[in-house]
Amino acid sequence: MHGRVKVRTTEEERERKKKEHALKVRAYRAAMGRILKKRDAGELDDEMLGLTVQILHRNPDVSTLWNIRRECVLEKIKQLAAAATESSKSDEVQAEAEAEAESAAKPVEQEDKLQSVYGQELTLTEQCLMVNPKSYNAWHHRCWTLEHNPQADWEREVQLCNKYLKYDERNFHTWDYRRYVTAKAAVPAEQELDFCTEKIKVNFSNYSSWHHRSLLLPKLYPNEQRDRPMSEEKLQEELEMVLTAAFTDPNDSSAWFYQRWLLGGGAQADQPPKVVAFRMGATGAVVAFNKPCPDFEQFKVELASNEHTLKLESWQPADSRRTTWRTQTSIDYQKDESYCLKLAEQEIKLLPLPTGDGAFYFVPPHAASSCSKELFEELQTQLQSCYDLLEYEPESKWTLLTSALLMRAIDVTANHERSLDHLVQLQKVDALREGYYKDLAASWTLELELAKWVTSTEFPKRFELSAESALTSLPYGQYLAIADELELPAKLKEELGDRLPQTFAGLKL
C-alpha cells in the first residue's frame, strides 16, 4: 500500500471544494470591503490599484473595480500634471543656465511616468483577457486607456488582434475591437478585406469574419443605385465564393447568412427614415415612413405650391411605432396647382388624387432589383445548384430558404407562389421558427400586393386583401395610411385587434 497516491472519495472532494470556495468568498469580501472603504476615504493610490488587481486577475467582469481603476488613473494623471506645473514654477526662480539644463530632462521624465501609468492598464487588460477573452469590461477598459493616451500605439493593437484571432478566429469581441483599432491606425480597407479572405479560407464557419466583410465591401465597391449591397461585378464574385463555402458544409449557417445579405437590397440600417406614403386633404395630412421616426414632430415640414408655401405643424403619431404621423392643419388645396412636400433633406413631388380633392405620394416597398445579364445568369446558376442539392437533402432548411430568396432576386412576380411554397415547407422542417417563416411570407405577400395596388383602379382609395392569403400578421401597415378603406380577411382582423392600421378616413382628415 505504501507509495500509492490516495484518491479522494467523492464526499472528500466535495468537502475540499466547499472549503476552497468559502476561503475565496472570504478573501473576496475582505478585499472588496477594503477597496470600498478606501474609495469612500478618497484614497485612490497604488495600494488601491494593487487590491483591484488581485480580484480582476480572477474575475475580470467586476465593473465596479474597473470604474475605480479609471478613477485612480485620472487621479495619477492629475497629480503628474500638478507636479509638472509646480516644477515649472520652481524653474523660473533658478538661474537661466541651470533651468535650461533641467527643462530638457523634466518633460521627458514626466512623459515616461505618464506612459508607465497607461502601460500598467494595458498590461492588466491583456492578463485579464487571457483569463476571459470575451470580457466586455476588459475590452472597454483597454479602449478607454488608449483614448486617454495621446501616444497610443494603434499599430501594436492591430498586431494584438492578429494574435488573439489566432487563438480564436470567431471571437466577436476581438473583431469589434479590430474595427475600432484599424480605424484609428488608418489601415486600408483593401488590406482588411484580404485579412477577412484569409480567415474565411481557414474556417468557413466564421460569422464574425463574414460580418466584417459585409461592412467593408459597400465602401470599397459602392452601388450607385443602392439597390444592391455593392457593385454588380463584385457581387457576382462574392456569390460565387459564398456558394462554395455553403456547399462545403450545407448545415453550417454562417455562409448562408452572408449569402442572404448578398441577395438583399442595398439599404443600410443606419439610413434615416424615408417617406413612403403621404396624402393631404382640406382638413389635414398623413405621412408614413419606412421605419419608425420618433422625433418627427421636431422636423420642419412645408407644403409648397406654385403660389405659396404652407408650414405643416402640430404632428401627432398615428401608431404606436411612430411610423405614421398626422396633422389637422387646414390646407387650401387648389386642384389646378402642383404641390411638393419638403422635409429634412427630402423634396417630394405630389400627384393629384383622381377625385380632385387632394394630393398623394406613394412608393411601395421594394420587391425586386434590376440586374445585369451576367448577374442574372449567376443567380439562375445558383438557384439550379440549390435545386440539385435539395434532391439529395430535401429537408435542408438553409437550401430551402436560399432558393426562395434566389427566386425573388430573379423574378418576384413569376416565382412568388413557388417561394411561398418553400416557406410552407420550412415551417414543417424548422418548426421552432414557424412564426418567423409566417411573418416572412406575410412580408413577401404584402410587398407584391402593394406593388399591384399602385396600378389598380382602386388606388389609393381602397386596398383589398383576399381571404386566400391566410396571413396572421400585416407588415407594412403604415403604407395603408393613405387608403380610405381596408378590406381584410376576418381572421386577420381578429388577429390584429387594436393593431389594425389607421386609414385616412379613420383619422378623419
Side-chain angles (χ1 to χ4, degrees), residues 197-241:
T197 304
E198 291 303 315
K199 285 299 176 184
I200 289 170
K201 287 179 179 178
V202 173
N203 184 0
F204 283 143
S205 183
N206 191 334
Y207 287 91
S208 295
S209 188
W210 289 113
H211 174 64
H212 194 55
R213 193 177 188 85
S214 72
L215 298 176
L216 294 167
L217 287 168
K219 298 177 183 177
L220 288 171
Y221 305 95
N223 180 285
E224 294 181 0
Q225 288 74 33
R226 300 188 70 83
D227 58 352
R228 297 287 185 188
M230 67 199 76
S231 67
E232 289 202 353
E233 183 179 354
K234 187 59 180 176
L235 178 60
Q236 187 175 343
E237 292 178 15
E238 291 298 299
L239 285 168
E240 292 172 359
M241 182 185 75

mmCIF file of all heavy atoms in Angstrom, residues 197-241:
data_model
loop_
_atom_site.group_PDB
_atom_site.id
_atom_site.type_symbol
_atom_site.label_atom_id
_atom_site.label_comp_id
_atom_site.label_asym_id
_atom_site.label_seq_id
_atom_site.Cartn_x
_atom_site.Cartn_y
_atom_site.Cartn_z
ATOM 1 N N THR A 197 -10.554 37.488 -46.073
ATOM 2 C CA THR A 197 -10.500 36.371 -47.022
ATOM 3 C C THR A 197 -9.637 35.241 -46.478
ATOM 4 O O THR A 197 -10.017 34.067 -46.567
ATOM 5 C CB THR A 197 -9.954 36.851 -48.379
ATOM 6 O OG1 THR A 197 -10.760 37.930 -48.861
ATOM 7 C CG2 THR A 197 -9.971 35.719 -49.391
ATOM 8 N N GLU A 198 -8.492 35.589 -45.907
ATOM 9 C CA GLU A 198 -7.598 34.569 -45.353
ATOM 10 C C GLU A 198 -8.259 33.838 -44.197
ATOM 11 O O GLU A 198 -8.145 32.616 -44.076
ATOM 12 C CB GLU A 198 -6.285 35.209 -44.899
ATOM 13 C CG GLU A 198 -5.410 35.723 -46.034
ATOM 14 C CD GLU A 198 -5.081 34.617 -47.034
ATOM 15 O OE1 GLU A 198 -4.724 33.504 -46.589
ATOM 16 O OE2 GLU A 198 -5.197 34.855 -48.254
ATOM 17 N N LYS A 199 -8.946 34.569 -43.338
ATOM 18 C CA LYS A 199 -9.609 33.941 -42.187
ATOM 19 C C LYS A 199 -10.740 33.021 -42.635
ATOM 20 O O LYS A 199 -10.975 31.971 -42.043
ATOM 21 C CB LYS A 199 -10.151 35.025 -41.242
ATOM 22 C CG LYS A 199 -9.077 35.710 -40.420
ATOM 23 C CD LYS A 199 -8.366 34.711 -39.531
ATOM 24 C CE LYS A 199 -7.218 35.324 -38.759
ATOM 25 N NZ LYS A 199 -6.474 34.314 -37.977
ATOM 26 N N ILE A 200 -11.466 33.430 -43.676
ATOM 27 C CA ILE A 200 -12.564 32.604 -44.179
ATOM 28 C C ILE A 200 -12.019 31.337 -44.825
ATOM 29 O O ILE A 200 -12.603 30.256 -44.698
ATOM 30 C CB ILE A 200 -13.427 33.412 -45.170
ATOM 31 C CG1 ILE A 200 -14.226 34.478 -44.418
ATOM 32 C CG2 ILE A 200 -14.379 32.498 -45.944
ATOM 33 C CD1 ILE A 200 -14.922 35.468 -45.310
ATOM 34 N N LYS A 201 -10.885 31.434 -45.502
ATOM 35 C CA LYS A 201 -10.277 30.252 -46.101
ATOM 36 C C LYS A 201 -9.867 29.239 -45.041
ATOM 37 O O LYS A 201 -9.966 28.029 -45.248
ATOM 38 C CB LYS A 201 -9.063 30.663 -46.929
ATOM 39 C CG LYS A 201 -9.399 31.355 -48.247
ATOM 40 C CD LYS A 201 -8.132 31.742 -49.002
ATOM 41 C CE LYS A 201 -8.469 32.420 -50.332
ATOM 42 N NZ LYS A 201 -7.236 32.846 -51.056
ATOM 43 N N VAL A 202 -9.417 29.748 -43.898
ATOM 44 C CA VAL A 202 -9.022 28.868 -42.795
ATOM 45 C C VAL A 202 -10.239 28.183 -42.188
ATOM 46 O O VAL A 202 -10.206 26.999 -41.852
ATOM 47 C CB VAL A 202 -8.263 29.670 -41.715
ATOM 48 C CG1 VAL A 202 -8.007 28.801 -40.478
ATOM 49 C CG2 VAL A 202 -6.949 30.185 -42.272
ATOM 50 N N ASN A 203 -11.344 28.956 -42.056
ATOM 51 C CA ASN A 203 -12.551 28.410 -41.426
ATOM 52 C C ASN A 203 -13.771 29.101 -42.013
ATOM 53 O O ASN A 203 -14.022 30.271 -41.741
ATOM 54 C CB ASN A 203 -12.488 28.610 -39.907
ATOM 55 C CG ASN A 203 -13.672 27.983 -39.197
ATOM 56 O OD1 ASN A 203 -14.558 27.389 -39.817
ATOM 57 N ND2 ASN A 203 -13.713 28.114 -37.890
ATOM 58 N N PHE A 204 -14.533 28.360 -42.842
ATOM 59 C CA PHE A 204 -15.748 28.923 -43.438
ATOM 60 C C PHE A 204 -16.750 29.338 -42.364
ATOM 61 O O PHE A 204 -17.493 30.293 -42.533
ATOM 62 C CB PHE A 204 -16.409 27.894 -44.357
ATOM 63 C CG PHE A 204 -15.726 27.755 -45.696
ATOM 64 C CD1 PHE A 204 -15.613 26.522 -46.307
ATOM 65 C CD2 PHE A 204 -15.185 28.854 -46.336
ATOM 66 C CE1 PHE A 204 -14.991 26.383 -47.539
ATOM 67 C CE2 PHE A 204 -14.556 28.742 -47.565
ATOM 68 C CZ PHE A 204 -14.457 27.498 -48.166
ATOM 69 N N SER A 205 -16.788 28.596 -41.258
ATOM 70 C CA SER A 205 -17.785 28.848 -40.220
ATOM 71 C C SER A 205 -17.312 29.962 -39.296
ATOM 72 O O SER A 205 -17.022 29.759 -38.121
ATOM 73 C CB SER A 205 -18.038 27.572 -39.407
ATOM 74 O OG SER A 205 -19.048 27.782 -38.447
ATOM 75 N N ASN A 206 -17.237 31.155 -39.839
ATOM 76 C CA ASN A 206 -16.730 32.298 -39.090
ATOM 77 C C ASN A 206 -17.680 33.477 -39.295
ATOM 78 O O ASN A 206 -17.483 34.311 -40.170
ATOM 79 C CB ASN A 206 -15.317 32.643 -39.561
ATOM 80 C CG ASN A 206 -14.621 33.643 -38.654
ATOM 81 O OD1 ASN A 206 -15.258 34.428 -37.972
ATOM 82 N ND2 ASN A 206 -13.302 33.615 -38.657
ATOM 83 N N TYR A 207 -18.731 33.530 -38.476
ATOM 84 C CA TYR A 207 -19.740 34.586 -38.616
ATOM 85 C C TYR A 207 -19.111 35.980 -38.578
ATOM 86 O O TYR A 207 -19.462 36.860 -39.362
ATOM 87 C CB TYR A 207 -20.755 34.493 -37.467
ATOM 88 C CG TYR A 207 -21.719 33.351 -37.564
ATOM 89 C CD1 TYR A 207 -21.427 32.123 -36.987
ATOM 90 C CD2 TYR A 207 -22.938 33.502 -38.209
ATOM 91 C CE1 TYR A 207 -22.312 31.069 -37.057
ATOM 92 C CE2 TYR A 207 -23.840 32.462 -38.289
ATOM 93 C CZ TYR A 207 -23.526 31.237 -37.705
ATOM 94 O OH TYR A 207 -24.408 30.198 -37.778
ATOM 95 N N SER A 208 -18.172 36.167 -37.626
ATOM 96 C CA SER A 208 -17.584 37.491 -37.426
ATOM 97 C C SER A 208 -16.811 37.961 -38.656
ATOM 98 O O SER A 208 -16.848 39.134 -39.012
ATOM 99 C CB SER A 208 -16.657 37.472 -36.206
ATOM 100 O OG SER A 208 -17.391 37.217 -35.033
ATOM 101 N N SER A 209 -16.098 37.033 -39.304
ATOM 102 C CA SER A 209 -15.329 37.412 -40.484
ATOM 103 C C SER A 209 -16.253 37.758 -41.650
ATOM 104 O O SER A 209 -16.013 38.724 -42.389
ATOM 105 C CB SER A 209 -14.383 36.275 -40.879
ATOM 106 O OG SER A 209 -13.516 36.697 -41.901
ATOM 107 N N TRP A 210 -17.317 36.976 -41.827
ATOM 108 C CA TRP A 210 -18.301 37.292 -42.877
ATOM 109 C C TRP A 210 -18.922 38.663 -42.616
ATOM 110 O O TRP A 210 -19.118 39.471 -43.530
ATOM 111 C CB TRP A 210 -19.388 36.235 -42.928
ATOM 112 C CG TRP A 210 -18.979 34.890 -43.472
ATOM 113 C CD1 TRP A 210 -18.911 33.715 -42.796
ATOM 114 C CD2 TRP A 210 -18.615 34.567 -44.834
ATOM 115 N NE1 TRP A 210 -18.518 32.683 -43.623
ATOM 116 C CE2 TRP A 210 -18.334 33.183 -44.878
ATOM 117 C CE3 TRP A 210 -18.493 35.315 -45.995
ATOM 118 C CZ2 TRP A 210 -17.939 32.532 -46.046
ATOM 119 C CZ3 TRP A 210 -18.106 34.665 -47.156
ATOM 120 C CH2 TRP A 210 -17.827 33.297 -47.177
ATOM 121 N N HIS A 211 -19.246 38.928 -41.349
ATOM 122 C CA HIS A 211 -19.856 40.219 -40.997
ATOM 123 C C HIS A 211 -18.880 41.362 -41.264
ATOM 124 O O HIS A 211 -19.268 42.406 -41.822
ATOM 125 C CB HIS A 211 -20.272 40.211 -39.526
ATOM 126 C CG HIS A 211 -20.768 41.537 -39.033
ATOM 127 N ND1 HIS A 211 -21.906 42.131 -39.532
ATOM 128 C CD2 HIS A 211 -20.274 42.392 -38.103
ATOM 129 C CE1 HIS A 211 -22.106 43.287 -38.926
ATOM 130 N NE2 HIS A 211 -21.125 43.473 -38.062
ATOM 131 N N HIS A 212 -17.631 41.181 -40.873
ATOM 132 C CA HIS A 212 -16.601 42.199 -41.110
ATOM 133 C C HIS A 212 -16.489 42.484 -42.605
ATOM 134 O O HIS A 212 -16.354 43.642 -43.025
ATOM 135 C CB HIS A 212 -15.271 41.696 -40.555
ATOM 136 C CG HIS A 212 -14.218 42.758 -40.439
ATOM 137 N ND1 HIS A 212 -14.401 43.936 -39.746
ATOM 138 C CD2 HIS A 212 -12.948 42.824 -40.924
ATOM 139 C CE1 HIS A 212 -13.313 44.681 -39.811
ATOM 140 N NE2 HIS A 212 -12.414 44.021 -40.528
ATOM 141 N N ARG A 213 -16.584 41.436 -43.382
ATOM 142 C CA ARG A 213 -16.518 41.556 -44.844
ATOM 143 C C ARG A 213 -17.700 42.372 -45.373
ATOM 144 O O ARG A 213 -17.548 43.198 -46.271
ATOM 145 C CB ARG A 213 -16.513 40.157 -45.447
ATOM 146 C CG ARG A 213 -16.149 40.098 -46.921
ATOM 147 C CD ARG A 213 -16.093 38.661 -47.418
ATOM 148 N NE ARG A 213 -15.559 38.595 -48.763
ATOM 149 C CZ ARG A 213 -14.275 38.563 -49.060
ATOM 150 N NH1 ARG A 213 -13.390 38.577 -48.082
ATOM 151 N NH2 ARG A 213 -13.852 38.526 -50.320
ATOM 152 N N SER A 214 -18.868 42.142 -44.821
ATOM 153 C CA SER A 214 -20.063 42.854 -45.285
ATOM 154 C C SER A 214 -19.998 44.348 -44.992
ATOM 155 O O SER A 214 -20.680 45.143 -45.645
ATOM 156 C CB SER A 214 -21.316 42.253 -44.639
ATOM 157 O OG SER A 214 -21.396 42.592 -43.266
ATOM 158 N N LEU A 215 -19.199 44.754 -44.006
ATOM 159 C CA LEU A 215 -19.048 46.172 -43.704
ATOM 160 C C LEU A 215 -18.034 46.845 -44.623
ATOM 161 O O LEU A 215 -18.113 48.050 -44.873
ATOM 162 C CB LEU A 215 -18.613 46.344 -42.240
ATOM 163 C CG LEU A 215 -19.582 45.842 -41.178
ATOM 164 C CD1 LEU A 215 -18.973 45.987 -39.789
ATOM 165 C CD2 LEU A 215 -20.909 46.570 -41.251
ATOM 166 N N LEU A 216 -17.083 46.063 -45.127
ATOM 167 C CA LEU A 216 -16.032 46.617 -45.972
ATOM 168 C C LEU A 216 -16.450 46.765 -47.429
ATOM 169 O O LEU A 216 -16.130 47.763 -48.090
ATOM 170 C CB LEU A 216 -14.785 45.726 -45.890
ATOM 171 C CG LEU A 216 -14.075 45.663 -44.534
ATOM 172 C CD1 LEU A 216 -13.070 44.515 -44.528
ATOM 173 C CD2 LEU A 216 -13.384 46.982 -44.226
ATOM 174 N N LEU A 217 -17.158 45.765 -47.945
ATOM 175 C CA LEU A 217 -17.467 45.729 -49.378
ATOM 176 C C LEU A 217 -18.286 46.927 -49.875
ATOM 177 O O LEU A 217 -17.978 47.474 -50.945
ATOM 178 C CB LEU A 217 -18.162 44.412 -49.724
ATOM 179 C CG LEU A 217 -17.242 43.190 -49.721
ATOM 180 C CD1 LEU A 217 -18.048 41.903 -49.778
ATOM 181 C CD2 LEU A 217 -16.272 43.243 -50.904
ATOM 182 N N PRO A 218 -19.350 47.354 -49.171
ATOM 183 C CA PRO A 218 -20.098 48.520 -49.670
ATOM 184 C C PRO A 218 -19.247 49.781 -49.768
ATOM 185 O O PRO A 218 -19.527 50.656 -50.590
ATOM 186 C CB PRO A 218 -21.217 48.683 -48.632
ATOM 187 C CG PRO A 218 -21.378 47.326 -48.037
ATOM 188 C CD PRO A 218 -20.007 46.747 -47.987
ATOM 189 N N LYS A 219 -18.204 49.888 -48.951
ATOM 190 C CA LYS A 219 -17.325 51.058 -49.018
ATOM 191 C C LYS A 219 -16.352 50.948 -50.181
ATOM 192 O O LYS A 219 -16.068 51.934 -50.859
ATOM 193 C CB LYS A 219 -16.548 51.194 -47.708
ATOM 194 C CG LYS A 219 -17.414 51.422 -46.482
ATOM 195 C CD LYS A 219 -16.569 51.460 -45.222
ATOM 196 C CE LYS A 219 -17.443 51.623 -43.985
ATOM 197 N NZ LYS A 219 -16.629 51.602 -42.742
ATOM 198 N N LEU A 220 -15.836 49.740 -50.403
ATOM 199 C CA LEU A 220 -14.851 49.542 -51.458
ATOM 200 C C LEU A 220 -15.483 49.467 -52.841
ATOM 201 O O LEU A 220 -14.887 49.905 -53.832
ATOM 202 C CB LEU A 220 -14.054 48.261 -51.189
ATOM 203 C CG LEU A 220 -13.047 48.321 -50.028
ATOM 204 C CD1 LEU A 220 -12.501 46.939 -49.728
ATOM 205 C CD2 LEU A 220 -11.908 49.273 -50.367
ATOM 206 N N TYR A 221 -16.694 48.884 -52.906
ATOM 207 C CA TYR A 221 -17.369 48.689 -54.196
ATOM 208 C C TYR A 221 -18.806 49.200 -54.105
ATOM 209 O O TYR A 221 -19.755 48.410 -54.086
ATOM 210 C CB TYR A 221 -17.350 47.200 -54.589
ATOM 211 C CG TYR A 221 -15.967 46.601 -54.624
ATOM 212 C CD1 TYR A 221 -15.459 45.927 -53.523
ATOM 213 C CD2 TYR A 221 -15.165 46.711 -55.763
ATOM 214 C CE1 TYR A 221 -14.181 45.372 -53.539
ATOM 215 C CE2 TYR A 221 -13.898 46.156 -55.793
ATOM 216 C CZ TYR A 221 -13.409 45.492 -54.676
ATOM 217 O OH TYR A 221 -12.149 44.944 -54.705
ATOM 218 N N PRO A 222 -19.001 50.508 -53.980
ATOM 219 C CA PRO A 222 -20.361 51.053 -53.798
ATOM 220 C C PRO A 222 -21.240 50.853 -55.027
ATOM 221 O O PRO A 222 -20.755 50.789 -56.159
ATOM 222 C CB PRO A 222 -20.095 52.551 -53.555
ATOM 223 C CG PRO A 222 -18.776 52.811 -54.207
ATOM 224 C CD PRO A 222 -17.970 51.555 -54.058
ATOM 225 N N ASN A 223 -22.526 50.746 -54.742
ATOM 226 C CA ASN A 223 -23.521 50.633 -55.804
ATOM 227 C C ASN A 223 -24.266 51.966 -55.875
ATOM 228 O O ASN A 223 -24.919 52.365 -54.907
ATOM 229 C CB ASN A 223 -24.495 49.477 -55.513
ATOM 230 C CG ASN A 223 -25.541 49.307 -56.586
ATOM 231 O OD1 ASN A 223 -26.485 50.083 -56.676
ATOM 232 N ND2 ASN A 223 -25.386 48.292 -57.392
ATOM 233 N N GLU A 224 -24.177 52.637 -56.988
ATOM 234 C CA GLU A 224 -24.744 53.985 -57.110
ATOM 235 C C GLU A 224 -26.264 53.989 -56.972
ATOM 236 O O GLU A 224 -26.841 54.917 -56.417
ATOM 237 C CB GLU A 224 -24.333 54.618 -58.443
ATOM 238 C CG GLU A 224 -22.835 54.877 -58.554
ATOM 239 C CD GLU A 224 -22.467 55.531 -59.872
ATOM 240 O OE1 GLU A 224 -23.393 55.763 -60.677
ATOM 241 O OE2 GLU A 224 -21.278 55.806 -60.086
ATOM 242 N N GLN A 225 -26.917 52.947 -57.476
ATOM 243 C CA GLN A 225 -28.377 52.888 -57.399
ATOM 244 C C GLN A 225 -28.867 52.493 -56.007
ATOM 245 O O GLN A 225 -30.048 52.642 -55.686
ATOM 246 C CB GLN A 225 -28.942 51.875 -58.414
ATOM 247 C CG GLN A 225 -28.870 52.330 -59.863
ATOM 248 C CD GLN A 225 -27.469 52.270 -60.435
ATOM 249 O OE1 GLN A 225 -26.689 51.396 -60.056
ATOM 250 N NE2 GLN A 225 -27.138 53.183 -61.324
ATOM 251 N N ARG A 226 -27.948 51.928 -55.187
ATOM 252 C CA ARG A 226 -28.262 51.500 -53.824
ATOM 253 C C ARG A 226 -29.343 50.438 -53.778
ATOM 254 O O ARG A 226 -30.043 50.282 -52.779
ATOM 255 C CB ARG A 226 -28.645 52.695 -52.944
ATOM 256 C CG ARG A 226 -27.558 53.740 -52.833
ATOM 257 C CD ARG A 226 -27.919 54.791 -51.816
ATOM 258 N NE ARG A 226 -27.891 54.267 -50.465
ATOM 259 C CZ ARG A 226 -26.789 54.148 -49.727
ATOM 260 N NH1 ARG A 226 -25.610 54.517 -50.212
ATOM 261 N NH2 ARG A 226 -26.859 53.689 -48.513
ATOM 262 N N ASP A 227 -29.537 49.694 -54.875
ATOM 263 C CA ASP A 227 -30.496 48.590 -54.867
ATOM 264 C C ASP A 227 -29.783 47.257 -54.668
ATOM 265 O O ASP A 227 -30.421 46.209 -54.682
ATOM 266 C CB ASP A 227 -31.321 48.575 -56.157
ATOM 267 C CG ASP A 227 -30.454 48.463 -57.408
ATOM 268 O OD1 ASP A 227 -29.218 48.558 -57.277
ATOM 269 O OD2 ASP A 227 -31.012 48.285 -58.500
ATOM 270 N N ARG A 228 -28.476 47.304 -54.516
ATOM 271 C CA ARG A 228 -27.662 46.124 -54.219
ATOM 272 C C ARG A 228 -26.642 46.505 -53.150
ATOM 273 O O ARG A 228 -26.272 47.682 -53.037
ATOM 274 C CB ARG A 228 -26.919 45.634 -55.474
ATOM 275 C CG ARG A 228 -27.822 45.162 -56.606
ATOM 276 C CD ARG A 228 -28.466 43.830 -56.300
ATOM 277 N NE ARG A 228 -29.244 43.334 -57.427
ATOM 278 C CZ ARG A 228 -30.039 42.264 -57.371
ATOM 279 N NH1 ARG A 228 -30.144 41.605 -56.244
ATOM 280 N NH2 ARG A 228 -30.719 41.892 -58.428
ATOM 281 N N PRO A 229 -26.152 45.546 -52.374
ATOM 282 C CA PRO A 229 -25.177 45.878 -51.337
ATOM 283 C C PRO A 229 -23.868 46.440 -51.886
ATOM 284 O O PRO A 229 -23.161 47.151 -51.186
ATOM 285 C CB PRO A 229 -24.935 44.538 -50.628
ATOM 286 C CG PRO A 229 -26.130 43.704 -50.958
ATOM 287 C CD PRO A 229 -26.558 44.138 -52.317
ATOM 288 N N MET A 230 -23.530 46.102 -53.146
ATOM 289 C CA MET A 230 -22.263 46.550 -53.737
ATOM 290 C C MET A 230 -22.414 46.545 -55.255
ATOM 291 O O MET A 230 -23.477 46.220 -55.774
ATOM 292 C CB MET A 230 -21.134 45.613 -53.298
ATOM 293 C CG MET A 230 -21.249 44.214 -53.863
ATOM 294 S SD MET A 230 -20.289 42.977 -52.968
ATOM 295 C CE MET A 230 -21.307 42.750 -51.498
ATOM 296 N N SER A 231 -21.336 46.859 -55.970
ATOM 297 C CA SER A 231 -21.382 46.845 -57.426
ATOM 298 C C SER A 231 -21.693 45.433 -57.930
ATOM 299 O O SER A 231 -21.333 44.435 -57.291
ATOM 300 C CB SER A 231 -20.047 47.315 -57.998
ATOM 301 O OG SER A 231 -19.014 46.388 -57.698
ATOM 302 N N GLU A 232 -22.339 45.348 -59.071
ATOM 303 C CA GLU A 232 -22.779 44.044 -59.582
ATOM 304 C C GLU A 232 -21.606 43.112 -59.885
ATOM 305 O O GLU A 232 -21.681 41.911 -59.654
ATOM 306 C CB GLU A 232 -23.643 44.235 -60.829
ATOM 307 C CG GLU A 232 -25.007 44.818 -60.532
ATOM 308 C CD GLU A 232 -26.007 44.508 -61.621
ATOM 309 O OE1 GLU A 232 -25.598 43.952 -62.660
ATOM 310 O OE2 GLU A 232 -27.194 44.815 -61.427
ATOM 311 N N GLU A 233 -20.525 43.682 -60.399
ATOM 312 C CA GLU A 233 -19.365 42.852 -60.728
ATOM 313 C C GLU A 233 -18.801 42.178 -59.472
ATOM 314 O O GLU A 233 -18.525 40.973 -59.470
ATOM 315 C CB GLU A 233 -18.287 43.713 -61.391
ATOM 316 C CG GLU A 233 -17.067 42.910 -61.844
ATOM 317 C CD GLU A 233 -16.023 43.780 -62.531
ATOM 318 O OE1 GLU A 233 -16.297 44.983 -62.758
ATOM 319 O OE2 GLU A 233 -14.937 43.260 -62.823
ATOM 320 N N LYS A 234 -18.663 42.963 -58.409
ATOM 321 C CA LYS A 234 -18.134 42.396 -57.161
ATOM 322 C C LYS A 234 -19.157 41.474 -56.517
ATOM 323 O O LYS A 234 -18.790 40.447 -55.913
ATOM 324 C CB LYS A 234 -17.757 43.524 -56.193
ATOM 325 C CG LYS A 234 -17.035 43.041 -54.941
ATOM 326 C CD LYS A 234 -15.755 42.314 -55.275
ATOM 327 C CE LYS A 234 -15.043 41.828 -54.032
ATOM 328 N NZ LYS A 234 -13.832 41.041 -54.351
ATOM 329 N N LEU A 235 -20.420 41.821 -56.642
ATOM 330 C CA LEU A 235 -21.481 40.974 -56.092
ATOM 331 C C LEU A 235 -21.446 39.587 -56.719
ATOM 332 O O LEU A 235 -21.616 38.569 -56.034
ATOM 333 C CB LEU A 235 -22.842 41.628 -56.322
ATOM 334 C CG LEU A 235 -24.068 40.848 -55.861
ATOM 335 C CD1 LEU A 235 -24.016 40.582 -54.364
ATOM 336 C CD2 LEU A 235 -25.347 41.589 -56.228
ATOM 337 N N GLN A 236 -21.224 39.524 -58.010
ATOM 338 C CA GLN A 236 -21.151 38.245 -58.702
ATOM 339 C C GLN A 236 -19.978 37.407 -58.162
ATOM 340 O O GLN A 236 -20.124 36.203 -57.925
ATOM 341 C CB GLN A 236 -20.979 38.477 -60.205
ATOM 342 C CG GLN A 236 -21.057 37.199 -61.047
ATOM 343 C CD GLN A 236 -21.004 37.507 -62.539
ATOM 344 O OE1 GLN A 236 -21.213 38.646 -62.952
ATOM 345 N NE2 GLN A 236 -20.728 36.500 -63.338
ATOM 346 N N GLU A 237 -18.841 38.050 -57.921
ATOM 347 C CA GLU A 237 -17.687 37.351 -57.361
ATOM 348 C C GLU A 237 -17.986 36.815 -55.967
ATOM 349 O O GLU A 237 -17.634 35.674 -55.629
ATOM 350 C CB GLU A 237 -16.482 38.300 -57.295
ATOM 351 C CG GLU A 237 -15.920 38.715 -58.639
ATOM 352 C CD GLU A 237 -14.758 39.683 -58.481
ATOM 353 O OE1 GLU A 237 -14.236 39.783 -57.343
ATOM 354 O OE2 GLU A 237 -14.375 40.323 -59.470
ATOM 355 N N GLU A 238 -18.655 37.631 -55.147
ATOM 356 C CA GLU A 238 -18.968 37.220 -53.779
ATOM 357 C C GLU A 238 -19.957 36.060 -53.761
ATOM 358 O O GLU A 238 -19.843 35.144 -52.942
ATOM 359 C CB GLU A 238 -19.539 38.403 -52.999
ATOM 360 C CG GLU A 238 -18.546 39.503 -52.715
ATOM 361 C CD GLU A 238 -17.390 39.034 -51.842
ATOM 362 O OE1 GLU A 238 -17.626 38.597 -50.702
ATOM 363 O OE2 GLU A 238 -16.236 39.091 -52.319
ATOM 364 N N LEU A 239 -20.925 36.089 -54.677
ATOM 365 C CA LEU A 239 -21.891 34.991 -54.759
ATOM 366 C C LEU A 239 -21.201 33.679 -55.120
ATOM 367 O O LEU A 239 -21.538 32.619 -54.573
ATOM 368 C CB LEU A 239 -22.978 35.327 -55.783
ATOM 369 C CG LEU A 239 -24.034 36.349 -55.343
ATOM 370 C CD1 LEU A 239 -24.864 36.803 -56.534
ATOM 371 C CD2 LEU A 239 -24.938 35.755 -54.261
ATOM 372 N N GLU A 240 -20.245 33.751 -56.014
ATOM 373 C CA GLU A 240 -19.516 32.548 -56.399
ATOM 374 C C GLU A 240 -18.707 31.998 -55.222
ATOM 375 O O GLU A 240 -18.675 30.790 -54.984
ATOM 376 C CB GLU A 240 -18.584 32.858 -57.575
ATOM 377 C CG GLU A 240 -19.327 33.168 -58.878
ATOM 378 C CD GLU A 240 -18.392 33.659 -59.972
ATOM 379 O OE1 GLU A 240 -17.184 33.767 -59.707
ATOM 380 O OE2 GLU A 240 -18.866 33.933 -61.087
ATOM 381 N N MET A 241 -18.070 32.912 -54.472
ATOM 382 C CA MET A 241 -17.258 32.484 -53.342
ATOM 383 C C MET A 241 -18.111 31.879 -52.228
ATOM 384 O O MET A 241 -17.793 30.817 -51.674
ATOM 385 C CB MET A 241 -16.467 33.664 -52.780
ATOM 386 C CG MET A 241 -15.549 33.283 -51.620
ATOM 387 S SD MET A 241 -14.722 34.704 -50.876
ATOM 388 C CE MET A 241 -16.082 35.416 -49.957
#
